């Protein structure tokens, strides 16, 4: 049996964790802080658990330079749970703003005409009409996960409210692998553009299945003025803490921990405090139901989670601890460079892998367009997607103790996941195998 040091694991998630963190975890699982009980056994409401939460938050704040006007939440349910939570929350804010605008509109009408204010069913009908005509959620569909997010929104509130502003398959023969130019996106007009603006614009920063990553924040989503502020919600599950992010450009960032941050079990949400009570009011559940809109479960309700310091229900404190130790390790390693230190390493590793793949175009074909190649999930086909050749490649990799390289079950092929905990020597060993396999293929 190979040792941990001999195995190089490139799985897409759950992903490898730093050995130093696992070694420390093996100790605290048995006896945390000399308490005589393990960290997985302590109360989630204990002082020790609260310190774990605080330390993990502070590590993330330091790593990404998160401004004070953002809240950090820890939930369960993975990124898929946040597909739903984002819809519930952002729609509720939009509807409440719409209701208040209607109240002000009616007050002006009363002042002008002297007619009694519309109340009850008449008011409800006017509000319903405004919701039907104005409510939109914009989705940039660039891969399997953003597609699932848009489908979940349609399932929850109705397809009529979902605007797929970009479907990348239309620009690539029905397959994901490109991101069309921004002038081809059909975003919902903002107030500055004589529209009402969407309740949110969602995109997945890195598509784990398809190997597509946004090179940077989309220029067309940059806020130009108060009347042109699109509330951007980004799923960063598979490239979280791998590169610098200007958090202020986002209304919400979320991601499952099981790629770069920790083990499976928690989801991290970074949300503007202005989108939480008391700065923002949300429509009541009764109003949402009367308008035919969904009401979300309380365990996905961001205001409830924030009010309870992420401890509304039993949070897996061990999972939070692991994430905190991973992020502390990055802060300790890169010091003043912070996330820029990890970004440089991630870029170096991905450059090495793409270099050797591009060196042998007759053997390897990188699936996505060069302009949107992911640094985290590198999707490749072998010998024109020949099933036997791809099996041969994967079998050979296993003999080299290069594991976790099989592509997602929905598309097949090979996927090399280059997460933070994959060390440079592992990438160099993979490089040697890629070279060896390509040379062998050329002579066979």
């Amino acid at each position: 049996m190979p040792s941990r040091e001999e195995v190089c694991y490139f799985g897409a998630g759950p992903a490898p964790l730093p050995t130093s963190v696992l070694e420390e975890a093996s100790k605290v699982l048995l006896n945390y802080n000399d308490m005589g009980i393990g960290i997985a056994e302590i109360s989630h409401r204990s002082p020790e658990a609260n310190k774990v939460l605080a330390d993990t938050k502070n590590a993330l704040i330091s790593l990404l330079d998160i401004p004070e006007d953002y809240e950090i939440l820890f939930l369960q349910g993975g990124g898929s749970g946040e597909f739903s939570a984002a819809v519930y929350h952002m729609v509720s804010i939009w509807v409440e703003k719409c209701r208040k605008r209607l109240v002000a509109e009616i007050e002006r009408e009363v002042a002008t005409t002297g007619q009694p204010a519309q109340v009850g069913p008449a008011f409800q009908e006017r509000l319903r009409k405004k919701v039907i005509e104005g409510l939109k959620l914009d989705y940039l569909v660039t891969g399997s996960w953003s597609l699932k997010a848009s489908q979940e929104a349609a399932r929850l509130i109705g397809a009529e409210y979902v605007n797929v502003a970009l479907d990348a398959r239309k620009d690539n023969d029905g397959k994901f692998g490109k991101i069309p130019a921004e002038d081809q996106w059909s975003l919902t007009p903002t107030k500055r553009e004589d529209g009402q603006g969407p309740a949110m614009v969602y995109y997945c920063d890195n598509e784990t299945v398809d190997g597509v990553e946004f090179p940077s924040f989309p220029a067309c989503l940059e806020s130009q003025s108060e009347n042109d502020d699109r509330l951007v919600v980004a799923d960063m599950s598979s490239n979280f803490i791998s590169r610098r992010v200007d958090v202020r450009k986002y209304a919400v960032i979320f991601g499952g921990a099981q790629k770069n941050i920790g083990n499976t079990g928690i989801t991290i949400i970074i949300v503007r405090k202005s989108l939480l009570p008391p700065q923002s009011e949300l429509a009541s559940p009764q109003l949402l139901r009367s308008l035919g809109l969904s009401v979300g479960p309380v365990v996905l309700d961001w205001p409830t989670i924030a009010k309870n310091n992420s401890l509304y229900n039993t949070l897996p404190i061990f999972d939070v601890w692991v994430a905190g130790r991973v992020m502390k390790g990055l802060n300790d390693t890169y010091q003043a460079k912070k996330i820029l230190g990890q970004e440089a390493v991630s870029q170096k590793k991905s450059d090495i892998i793409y270099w050797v793949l591009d060196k042998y175009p007759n053997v390897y074909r990188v699936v996505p367009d060069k302009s949107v190649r992911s640094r985290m999930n590198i999707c490749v086909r072998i010998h024109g997607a020949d099933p036997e050749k791809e099996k041969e490649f994967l079998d050979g990799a296993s003999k080299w103790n290069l594991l976790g390289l099989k592509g997602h079950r929905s598309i097949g092929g090979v996927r090399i996941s280059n997460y933070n905990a994959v060390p440079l020597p592992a990438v160099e060993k993979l490089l040697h195998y890629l070279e060896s396999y390509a040379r062998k293929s050329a002579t066979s």
Side-chain angles (χ1 to χ4, degrees), residues 13-57:
L17 286 163
T19 298
S20 59
V21 172
L22 291 177
E23 288 173 341
E24 188 179 2
S26 69
K27 297 175 183 177
V28 302
L29 278 169
L30 289 173
N31 190 350
Y32 182 68
N33 280 1
D34 293 324
M35 295 173 64
I37 59 173
I39 190 170
E41 299 166 303
I42 66 173
S43 168
H44 63 294
R45 303 195 190 282
S46 66
E48 291 80 10
N50 274 272
K51 188 176 187 306
V52 169
L53 272 171
D55 289 348
T56 302
K57 283 185 181 181

Side-chain angles (χ1 to χ4, degrees), residues 19 32 61 84 110 112 128 130 139 148 159 169 186 188 227 237-238 250-251 270 319 364 375 395 418 431:
T19 298
Y32 182 68
I61 289 168
S84 307
V110 170
T112 302
R128 182 189 300 276
K130 287 184 177 295
Y139 282 81
K148 287 179 183 292
R169 294 171 296 183
S186 56
T188 299
N227 290 329
S237 289
S238 53
Y250 300 87
I270 305 171
D319 300 335
Y364 306 120
R375 299 162 305 120
D395 289 344
N418 175 40
L431 165 68

Side-chain angles (χ1 to χ4, degrees), residues 251-271:
V252 181
I253 295 170
F254 69 81
Q258 68 274 13
K259 313 290 187 181
N260 275 323
I261 304 173
N263 54 311
T264 306
I266 58 167
T267 312
I268 299 176
I269 294 88
I270 305 171
V271 56

Side-chain angles (χ1 to χ4, degrees), residues 83-390:
F83 294 167
S84 307
V87 172
Y88 295 137
H89 190 85
M90 304 307 286
V91 166
S92 186
I93 288 177
W94 189 95
V95 169
E96 180 60 15
K97 287 181 178 179
C98 184
R99 186 193 69 81
K100 288 183 174 179
R101 286 195 300 268
L102 179 56
V103 168
E105 183 181 315
I106 290 173
E107 287 175 349
R108 289 192 297 270
E109 291 173 359
V110 170
T112 302
T113 66
Q115 296 295 320
Q118 289 181 320
V119 295
F123 176 87
Q124 191 76 8
E125 188 55 37
R126 282 184 65 172
L127 179 59
R128 182 189 300 276
K129 184 178 179 182
K130 287 184 177 295
V131 169
I132 291 172
E133 292 176 350
L135 176 60
K136 290 294 178 185
L137 285 76
D138 286 359
Y139 282 81
L140 308 181
V141 176
T142 56
S144 301
W145 288 112
S146 49
L147 177 62
K148 287 179 183 292
S150 68
Q151 291 169 338
E152 174 67 354
R155 188 184 73 85
L156 292 174
I157 63 171
E160 64 271 24
Y161 297 120
V162 176
N163 172 41
V164 176
L166 157 65
D167 185 341
R169 294 171 296 183
K170 295 180 180 179
D171 197 52
N172 195 39
D173 298 324
K175 297 179 180 179
F176 293 120
K178 292 183 178 180
I179 299 179
E182 293 180 17
D183 60 7
Q184 298 180 41
W185 303 1
S186 56
L187 296 165
T188 299
T190 62
K191 292 178 183 177
R192 190 173 67 88
E193 300 164 332
D194 297 323
Q196 295 187 53
M200 70 175 187
V201 181
Y202 164 95
Y203 74 92
C204 182
D205 204 35
N206 183 75
E207 291 282 1
T208 320
V209 172
D210 305 281
V212 173
E213 184 175 28
F214 278 83
S216 59
F217 187 85
C220 65
L221 301 183
E222 296 271 7
S223 178
Q224 303 297 321
S225 69
E226 186 177 342
N227 290 329
D228 196 36
D229 186 15
R230 290 184 165 95
L231 296 173
V232 178
V233 175
D235 177 359
M236 295 189 182
S237 289
S238 53
N239 65 352
F240 224 159
I241 65 169
S242 71
R243 66 179 178 183
R244 185 181 180 277
V245 172
D246 186 350
V247 175
R248 290 194 180 279
K249 294 183 178 182
Y250 300 87
V252 181
I253 295 170
F254 69 81
Q258 68 274 13
K259 313 290 187 181
N260 275 323
I261 304 173
N263 54 311
T264 306
I266 58 167
T267 312
I268 299 176
I269 294 88
I270 305 171
V271 56
R272 279 183 197 157
K273 290 180 180 177
S274 61
L275 295 174
L276 297 170
Q279 291 170 269
S280 279
E281 292 185 48
L282 279 66
S284 69
Q286 294 83 359
L287 177 59
L288 292 171
R289 281 195 293 267
S290 71
L291 296 169
L293 299 172
S294 294
V295 177
V298 70
V299 291
L300 294 179
D301 184 65
W302 294 341
T304 298
I305 303 303
K307 182 180 178 181
N308 289 275
N309 189 32
S310 298
L311 295 172
Y312 174 78
N313 60 331
T314 306
L315 188 70
I317 295 300
F318 172 68
D319 300 335
V320 178
W321 179 89
V322 170
R325 301 309 289 178
V326 169
M327 291 187 283
K328 181 181 184 301
L330 294 178
N331 280 320
D332 291 347
T333 298
Y334 299 116
Q335 299 288 317
K337 291 181 180 180
K338 298 184 179 180
I339 197 61
L340 291 175
Q342 180 59 54
E343 181 176 354
V345 173
S346 296
Q347 190 65 55
K348 180 178 180 178
K349 292 188 297 173
S350 66
D351 286 348
I352 290 172
I353 296 169
Y354 282 121
W355 172 81
V356 70
L357 293 174
D358 289 338
K359 183 178 176 181
Y360 299 100
N362 293 330
V363 179
Y364 306 120
R365 178 177 65 83
V366 178
V367 177
D369 186 77
K370 275 191 176 183
S371 62
V372 294
R373 285 179 173 181
S374 169
R375 299 162 305 120
M376 295 289 104
N377 306 105
I378 298 163
C379 295
V380 189
R381 301 313 299 249
I382 312 295
H383 285 292
D386 183 316
E388 291 302 316
K389 292 292 186 181
E390 291 184 335

